[in-house]
Amino acid sequence: MEGAKDHVTSLACFFFLWLWLWLVVCRAETQPQDDQLPVKTYAYASFQSTDSPSTLRVLKDASIHGGTLQLTPDGRNGDGLRAHKSGSVLLAQPFTIWRRLDDDESHAPAPVYVGRIGTGEDNKRVRVVSFNSTFSFRVAQHKDRALPGEGLAFVVAPSTAGPPPGSAGGFLGLTNSTFEASSPATTNRFVAVEFDTAKQSYDPDDNHVGLDIGTVVSAKTASLADFGITMATENGTAAKNYTVWIEYDGVARHVWVYMDVRGKPRPASPVLDAPLDLSEHVPEQSYFGFSGSTGASTVELSGILDWTLTVETFPEKGQKASKYWWILIAAVFIFIVIYPAIGCIVTLREERAMKTREQGRLERLRSLAGMPTELVYEELERATGKFSERLREGWHGGYGPGSVYKGLLPSAGDGRPEATQVAVKTYNEDCNKFGNEIQLTNRLRHRNIVPVIGWCYHRGWTPKMLMVHKHKHMCNGSLDQHIFRRDGVHHERRPPLSWESRYRIVADVASGLRYMHHQHSSVVLHGYVKPSSVMLDASLRARISDFVLARVVTVAHGRREDARPADVFAFGALVLEVVTGRYRRLDDPVFPRLWDWVWQLHGRGTLLGAVDQILGVAGFDQDEARRLLLLGLACTRSSRRVRPTMLQVLQILSKSAPPPEMAPVKPPEDYTTQDNFDDSFHFPPPPELTQCAYSITVTLTLHALARGTCLFLVMEILLNSPDHKPTGNNIHPYSGSTQNNYSSSNNTFK
């Protein structure tokens, strides 16, 4: 009860700490905002297919080919596939083009112009971003077409839905006849700068630039012939590549369009300029990109060669520049004052309660029935050279954390008349599993089960639990080191097991499981039968170890009658691993499990092809190999009802019964998910043994919260402070755009 009160007090301290920090942040949000918006830049020297769909949306008839955004199909397609097409390419990320200002923002002093949107009550002031878009393009006429067309456009689009149906021809992939017949200002919320190469009834000529607002009937146009520019040529004459500079000032609500041959600097005079308030014509969240189309008799390839977009971005609402100084002060105060104070309080209280918890835990272990001799920690420490790495074995004994150390335990008056070589297994956590393994192992008496001769519990902030075995029972390590031929510490390759040793090991494991399932006074389920849980002595005789997940069950209690087949399944997987020398989980998408692969060979009539190739053709008994492989398949059947019992397994291994008959084709029910152990093996630990884990968890959580708070606040300052902004120049059309020096070489279209 006292420990629970301590945890509640600590949590209350952290609650008030977070409450105070929240008030500090709210205070910071009332500070004035810096009106200079950060800038984000997108630069494409060329375009690759990998750009879509990660950063670009390539829609309808558009494509990326040869480093170019092809808004219309190219010459690789047939004539019927090039005419009457439309396509568009948009940046995948939406941009906030404009934003309504809050009352405190609209009254704050700002060196910007703010307009109004709507009428009546909807007259809140808005701010519009500025942007520069610089791109190069080429309009290539197909040789088999006398007339080029229709053109392309730079567009601020409302969505990434792409060109609407019927948007080919003079609609440039922006709209269609249905939208044009309605009110364009309300149905088509886009703004585009068109570069038109085909004359329509509403166009001045077939070589002009225009500003389109919700319709392809341009609000303002300018003939490019007046500037000596011809975008598309007739009769197959080679066309030039051009660079366009579009500059929009969100303060002045004005757009300028410049154009010249690619490779030349931006000209002094624009080819088109016009007033434009984007907040009146596009949604708040919009997309930048390009669109183009061809007609029924006018066909051309419209391609974007490169593109640089620089645009202002709005910060998140409520993000104030000056709040970071307050957060920095809060972080420093937490780190220097509050965190150490709470840490000291929690540590002192935990130390005071630790002795009580340790004593209760130790008494719990001592009171368990069937516990072996309790050993002194210092004695085991001396025996293992203070748990020297030199004496650490290359195996850990199966499931769970910990290591195994070789040692020499001197003689004593507790039944050890002479020095004994021992294997000491360490546990770093979970005293419940530790007690369960010692208690169960000590109750089992069989030649194929590793006995335990002692245990030790060492007090401390991190308790150490040790289990002691005779080293001679496991001097050759675990089975997995031999069949998979690896050593976890010294990286030494074990010599391969002979066929006689493999068959004897399988029989030993089966004998131990038969004792646990059918001959012991209680039914004992192992729950983790794997090669790493099978130890080998000097004669390579197998003994089962690692009873962390084991438990005693009563077969008369309903569904637990079906628990033993889970051990049988795991045993069958072990048999197949011993015979094939392969892991039960294969890196094969077709046959991810070993038994599926073996069954596939059985169906082909090549079952013996599964035998470990290191044995060679003459290195194994074919009848015994077939017997073990068929037994492994029978034990790994999905249906528990058809698996053999361990009594039947021993009869098959002793050859007093024939091997199981397995169909060459795997039954459909055997393609269901296989199991390794039954869920009923897991059982809740006693409350006395879980108090330690609960206390340590709460303590570490509190410490992590404090450290995480400081780290989070510092990272917020570093990443979001006003001085840390995206690279790029502030945009203002009067001061000039960022210049890009493009290569004068022309891109060729295939």
Side-chain angles (χ1 to χ4, degrees):
M1 181 63 70
E2 182 180 357
K5 291 181 179 179
D6 292 343
H7 300 319
V8 172
T9 303
S10 301
L11 290 173
C13 292
F14 267 90
F15 171 78
F16 286 109
L17 169 63
W18 280 99
L19 179 61
W20 173 80
L21 180 61
W22 177 76
L23 293 175
V24 169
V25 173
C26 292
R27 171 67 178 87
E29 290 182 352
T30 62
Q31 303 299 317
Q33 180 184 10
D34 186 2
D35 287 276
Q36 187 174 344
L37 297 178
V39 172
K40 197 167 188 178
T41 298
Y42 291 82
Y44 295 91
S46 63
F47 302 88
Q48 307 299 328
S49 58
T50 55
D51 295 330
S52 174
S54 58
T55 59
L56 296 174
R57 294 286 187 266
V58 181
L59 306 169
K60 205 175 179 184
D61 299 320
S63 63
I64 298 177
H65 181 72
T68 304
L69 294 183
Q70 296 185 359
L71 303 176
T72 53
D74 62 15
R76 295 170 299 161
N77 301 285
D79 185 72
L81 299 178
R82 297 178 303 192
H84 212 66
K85 300 293 182 181
S86 62
S88 62
V89 179
L90 303 173
L91 279 176
Q93 175 186 346
F95 291 84
T96 302
I97 304 299
W98 53 270
R99 175 177 289 178
R100 291 181 176 89
L101 301 181
D102 298 332
D103 292 338
D104 58 338
E105 292 175 309
S106 61
H107 290 90
V112 296
Y113 168 87
V114 287
R116 296 180 180 273
I117 183 171
T119 59
E121 295 182 357
D122 186 20
N123 61 355
K124 291 186 177 181
R125 306 171 75 188
V126 298
R127 182 170 183 176
V128 185
V129 300
S130 300
F131 66 86
N132 290 339
S133 179
T134 304
F135 59 92
S136 299
F137 74 93
R138 188 186 188 198
V139 174
Q141 179 201 3
H142 294 291
K143 294 182 179 180
D144 56 344
R145 290 284 180 164
L147 296 175
E150 296 281 334
L152 61 97
F154 170 82
V155 60
V156 183
S159 70
T160 56
S167 59
F171 297 115
L172 300 179
L174 300 171
T175 181
N176 57 29
S177 58
T178 302
F179 289 138
E180 290 290 315
S182 60
S183 176
T186 57
T187 57
N188 262 1
R189 292 183 58 78
F190 73 85
V191 171
V193 177
E194 69 169 25
F195 301 87
D196 206 339
T197 58
K199 185 179 184 306
Q200 309 294 334
S201 60
Y202 43 81
D203 290 331
D205 57 26
D206 59 356
N207 184 40
H208 67 272
V209 60
L211 177 63
D212 299 344
I213 303 176
T215 175
V216 290
V217 180
S218 302
K220 186 174 182 179
T221 61
S223 177
L224 293 177
D226 298 338
F227 300 89
I229 296 175
T230 302
M231 292 185 291
T233 58
E234 298 181 2
N235 301 321
T237 305
K240 295 180 179 180
N241 298 342
Y242 290 94
T243 298
V244 175
W245 295 263
I246 299 177
E247 299 177 352
Y248 179 73
D249 186 1
V251 177
R253 306 295 205 274
H254 205 95
V255 63
W256 292 263
V257 181
Y258 303 82
M259 187 173 177
D260 207 338
V261 177
R262 191 185 190 205
K264 293 185 178 182
R266 193 201 72 178
S269 301
V271 296
L272 182 144
D273 71 282
L276 176 63
D277 189 349
L278 287 178
S279 66
E280 297 179 358
H281 305 296
V282 298
E284 185 175 1
Q285 294 282 320
S286 298
Y287 298 81
F288 290 103
F290 301 92
S291 182
S293 66
T294 61
S297 59
T298 54
V299 177
E300 67 187 19
L301 172 59
S302 301
I304 306 299
L305 309 179
D306 51 54
W307 184 23
T308 300
L309 175 68
T310 307
V311 58
E312 289 179 332
T313 57
F314 286 105
E316 294 183 3
K317 291 185 178 181
Q319 184 178 358
K320 311 298 180 180
S322 59
K323 79 174 183 180
Y324 299 105
W325 292 106
W326 288 93
I327 295 179
L328 177 60
I329 295 173
V332 173
F333 183 78
I334 292 172
F335 189 78
I336 295 178
V337 179
I338 298 181
Y339 167 63
I342 294 180
C344 290
I345 293 174
V346 173
T347 301
L348 291 174
R349 290 179 175 177
E350 284 300 324
E351 287 180 353
R352 185 177 62 185
M354 184 172 20
K355 291 184 179 180
T356 304
R357 291 197 300 268
E358 285 185 345
Q359 187 62 34
R361 199 177 318 131
L362 186 58
E363 293 300 326
R364 168 66 181 172
L365 290 174
R366 288 171 176 168
S367 64
L368 292 175
M371 291 294 285
T373 304
E374 181 181 359
L375 302 174
V376 180
Y377 178 77
E378 289 73 16
E379 186 179 13
L380 295 176
E381 193 176 38
R382 288 192 300 269
T384 58
K386 295 185 177 180
F387 301 98
S388 170
E389 283 294 313
R390 180 177 55 86
L391 297 177
R392 186 162 71 92
E393 300 282 11
W395 39 274
H396 60 78
Y399 180 88
S403 302
V404 179
Y405 295 87
K406 181 180 179 181
L408 183 63
L409 203 61
S411 60
D414 57 356
R416 297 197 311 271
E418 57 184 16
T420 305
Q421 277 198 337
V422 294
V424 181
K425 182 177 180 180
T426 65
Y427 285 76
N428 295 327
E429 58 183 358
D430 204 336
C431 38
N432 180 51
K433 291 180 180 178
F434 173 71
N436 180 70
E437 179 166 7
I438 295 177
Q439 184 184 23
L440 273 179
T441 307
N442 196 53
R443 292 171 59 182
L444 299 174
R445 297 288 187 271
H446 193 267
R447 66 179 181 275
N448 297 120
I449 294 177
V450 176
V452 58
I453 63 174
W455 66 278
C456 175
Y457 177 84
H458 177 63
R459 301 180 181 181
W461 178 258
T462 304
K464 294 183 179 179
M465 292 154 282
L466 309 173
M467 186 164 57
V468 184
H469 306 275
K470 285 187 178 181
H471 189 266
K472 68 177 183 179
H473 294 150
M474 52 182 65
C475 57
N476 261 316
S478 56
L479 175 60
D480 62 322
Q481 293 179 290
H482 293 265
I483 60 175
F484 305 131
R485 302 188 66 200
R486 59 110 182 97
D487 190 305
V489 174
H490 308 293
H491 304 286
E492 298 175 355
R493 292 178 63 85
R494 300 270 187 169
L497 290 173
S498 66
W499 177 254
E500 292 75 14
S501 297
R502 299 187 190 215
Y503 197 90
R504 187 169 57 246
I505 288 170
V506 170
D508 288 343
V509 175
S511 178
L513 290 176
R514 179 188 61 178
Y515 166 75
M516 294 164 55
H517 287 188
H518 302 284
Q519 296 178 336
H520 191 260
S521 57
S522 301
V523 175
V524 180
L525 304 179
H526 187 276
Y528 196 74
V529 180
K530 278 194 170 185
S532 59
S533 301
V534 176
M535 313 310 297
L536 303 179
D537 61 14
S539 302
L540 294 180
R541 300 305 299 261
R543 295 173 185 263
I544 303 173
S545 69
D546 190 27
F547 287 79
V548 177
L549 298 179
R551 67 177 304 178
V552 176
V553 298
T554 304
V555 296
H557 287 177
R559 65 177 295 272
R560 289 188 176 177
E561 291 181 342
D562 299 327
R564 285 177 290 184
D567 271 357
V568 174
F569 179 92
F571 170 77
L574 180 140
V575 171
L576 296 179
E577 288 177 311
V578 171
V579 176
T580 64
R582 298 170 180 259
Y583 290 98
R584 63 184 63 186
R585 298 294 182 183
L586 303 178
D587 294 330
D588 187 342
V590 180
F591 302 106
R593 296 179 292 260
L594 177 59
W595 41 92
D596 294 331
W597 176 71
V598 174
W599 209 311
Q600 179 252 355
L601 294 179
H602 176 52
R604 293 181 179 179
T606 58
L607 180 62
L608 294 181
V611 178
D612 195 345
Q613 295 182 0
I614 201 170
L615 295 173
V617 178
F620 64 95
D621 184 291
Q622 294 188 6
D623 178 69
E624 291 181 346
R626 182 180 299 275
R627 181 178 294 268
L628 288 186
L629 290 171
L630 293 176
L631 176 61
L633 292 180
C635 291
T636 53
R637 296 285 300 273
S638 289
S639 175
R640 294 167 173 260
R641 294 176 288 105
V642 297
R643 296 176 196 166
T645 66
M646 293 311 300
L647 291 173
Q648 295 170 326
V649 167
L650 259 296
Q651 292 177 347
I652 295 173
L653 291 175
S654 64
K655 302 180 182 179
S656 59
E661 295 183 2
M662 304 301 295
V665 179
K666 189 175 182 179
E669 63 270 15
D670 280 322
Y671 284 95
T672 59
T673 303
Q674 310 287 357
D675 54 354
N676 287 331
F677 52 87
D678 193 86
D679 291 339
S680 62
F681 289 167
H682 301 285
F683 52 99
E688 299 89 334
L689 297 181
T690 56
Q691 179 64 26
C692 169
Y694 168 76
S695 302
I696 293 177
T697 300
V698 172
T699 302
L700 295 180
T701 301
L702 294 176
H703 284 242
L705 277 174
R707 289 192 297 267
T709 300
C710 300
L711 180 61
F712 171 78
L713 296 177
V714 171
M715 293 300 295
E716 278 284 310
I717 296 166
L718 293 178
L719 295 177
N720 299 312
S721 63
D723 295 334
H724 183 84
K725 293 184 178 180
T727 56
N729 300 322
N730 291 329
I731 303 175
H732 198 284
Y734 302 114
S735 61
S737 305
T738 303
Q739 299 297 325
N740 297 287
N741 296 322
Y742 295 98
S743 171
S744 59
S745 61
N746 294 332
N747 286 6
T748 59
F749 292 84
K750 299 180 181 179

